């Protein structure tokens, strides 16, 4: 049982490049989400999904795209990287939304955009 | 909309002593949940303790306990017998019930240092 896995762990992009951050979970969780963590800002929600085929925007969705074709995977796409997207990105999963179940977090991806 | 405020950017405690981290929140939800997460230098987010708002009894997990004051919308974390391994960022978070309210709303964090 690997829990929530994220790849890559580190990435450097040039402004304008695109890339996909991968996230997978093997706990059969319906609920998955992406957060970004900036210094002094805590974690902020980018996008989330309550099940395969269903996604919605969070607090800071601009510049990011998501899809959820399977229960296990929830990739985050940066369409055209900007320096403001330099951050640490966390993927999380939990049992269905609306319950008190904790969110399990992946190890994070540190992204630098130059 | 839910908000979470941690007013202490940094705290320090002597090893074996007790420290309390503060958190206040605001929500219009009648049913919600509160969490404390620990983030050590490894970056991994680790759940420390959870509190269900409908339960009046304060949650405890070994050396960690909370003081939940629902009317005051306060949710502080007490760490007893502090250990060097407790040094980390601590985030308070709230979570509503259902749909977008099921997401975690985080405070900005408190950096805890433990002195030997």
């Amino acid at each position: 049982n690997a829990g929530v896995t994220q790849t890559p762990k580190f990435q450097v992009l040039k402004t304008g490049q695109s890339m996909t951050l991968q996230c997978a979970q093997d706990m059969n969780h319906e609920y998955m989400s992406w957060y970004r963590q900036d210094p002094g800002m805590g974690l902020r929600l980018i996008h989330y999904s309550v099940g395969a085929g269903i996604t919605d925007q969070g607090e800071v969705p601009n510049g990011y795209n998501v899809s959820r074709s399977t229960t296990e995977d929830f990739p985050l796409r940066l369409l055209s990287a900007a320096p403001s997207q330099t951050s640490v990105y966390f993927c999380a999963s939990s049992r269905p939304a609306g319950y008190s179940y904790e969110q399990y977090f992946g190890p994070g991806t540190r992204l630098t955009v130059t | 909309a839910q908000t979470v405020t941690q007013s202490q950017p940094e705290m320090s405690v002597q090893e074996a002593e007790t420290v309390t981290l503060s958190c206040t929140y605001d929500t219009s939800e009648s049913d919600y949940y509160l969490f404390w997460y620990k983030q050590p230098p490894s970056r991994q987010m680790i759940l420390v303790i959870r509190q269900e708002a409908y339960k009046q009894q304060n949650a405890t997990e070994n050396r960690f306990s909370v003081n939940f004051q629902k009317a005051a919308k306060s949710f502080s974390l007490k760490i007893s017998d502090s250990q060097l391994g407790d040094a980390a960022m601590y985030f308070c978070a709230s979570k509503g019930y259902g749909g977008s309210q099921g997401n975690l709303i985080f405070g900005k964090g408190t950096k805890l240092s433990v002195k030997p």
Side-chain angles (χ1 to χ4, degrees):
Chain A
N1 190 335
V4 180
T5 58
Q6 290 183 239
T7 55
K9 285 191 169 52
F10 302 92
Q11 182 70 48
V12 178
L13 288 179
K14 293 192 168 139
T15 298
Q17 287 184 319
S18 63
M19 79 158 296
T20 299
L21 305 185
Q22 300 292 344
C23 174
Q25 53 91 8
D26 60 0
M27 297 174 282
N28 202 30
H29 285 170
E30 295 182 12
Y31 195 89
M32 297 185 74
S33 49
W34 277 100
Y35 296 86
R36 61 176 287 172
Q37 181 180 21
D38 301 299
M41 295 294 294
L43 279 75
R44 293 181 293 168
L45 183 69
I46 305 171
H47 285 286
Y48 67 98
S49 168
V50 299
I54 307 170
T55 64
D56 206 346
Q57 296 180 354
E59 180 185 355
V60 288
N62 292 340
Y64 307 96
N65 207 353
V66 293
S67 60
R68 182 101 178 266
S69 56
T70 67
T71 300
E72 293 78 20
D73 300 299
F74 191 43
L76 178 72
R77 297 182 187 84
L78 279 70
L79 308 173
S80 177
S84 61
Q85 293 178 304
T86 293
S87 189
V88 178
Y89 291 84
F90 287 96
C91 179
S93 75
S94 72
R95 291 166 73 176
Y99 289 82
S100 65
Y101 302 122
E102 67 174 288
Q103 290 199 355
Y104 292 82
F105 285 82
T109 295
R110 181 177 292 278
L111 175 68
T112 302
V113 183
T114 61
Chain B
Q2 299 176 60
T3 60
V4 176
T5 302
Q6 293 178 250
S7 59
Q8 306 153 316
E10 295 189 25
M11 291 283 286
S12 181
V13 63
Q14 204 72 30
E15 195 175 6
E17 298 292 309
T18 296
V19 65
T20 298
L21 308 184
S22 300
C23 174
T24 58
Y25 63 94
D26 193 14
T27 179
S28 58
E29 300 283 321
S30 58
D31 192 13
Y32 55 91
Y33 312 95
L34 299 166
F35 304 86
W36 278 97
Y37 277 87
K38 171 185 178 181
Q39 187 181 44
S42 67
R43 229 171 42 205
Q44 183 68 46
M45 296 291 288
I46 302 165
L47 178 67
V48 175
I49 199 164
R50 117 181 71 213
Q51 175 80 43
E52 291 151 340
Y54 67 86
K55 289 186 177 179
Q56 293 189 348
Q57 187 173 4
N58 289 327
T60 61
E61 287 287 342
N62 301 315
R63 298 183 294 108
F64 298 88
S65 61
V66 299
N67 184 4
F68 174 48
Q69 302 288 330
K70 190 172 184 178
K73 294 184 177 176
S74 171
F75 182 60
S76 60
L77 175 69
K78 185 171 82 171
I79 306 174
S80 304
D81 185 25
S82 296
Q83 300 176 358
L84 295 177
D86 294 334
M89 285 291 292
Y90 285 83
F91 293 97
C92 179
S94 72
K95 179 173 178 288
Y97 187 93
S100 63
Q101 301 305 316
N103 294 298
L104 286 169
I105 306 298
F106 285 89
K108 294 184 178 181
T110 296
K111 183 177 181 180
L112 178 66
S113 302
V114 180
K115 297 178 181 176

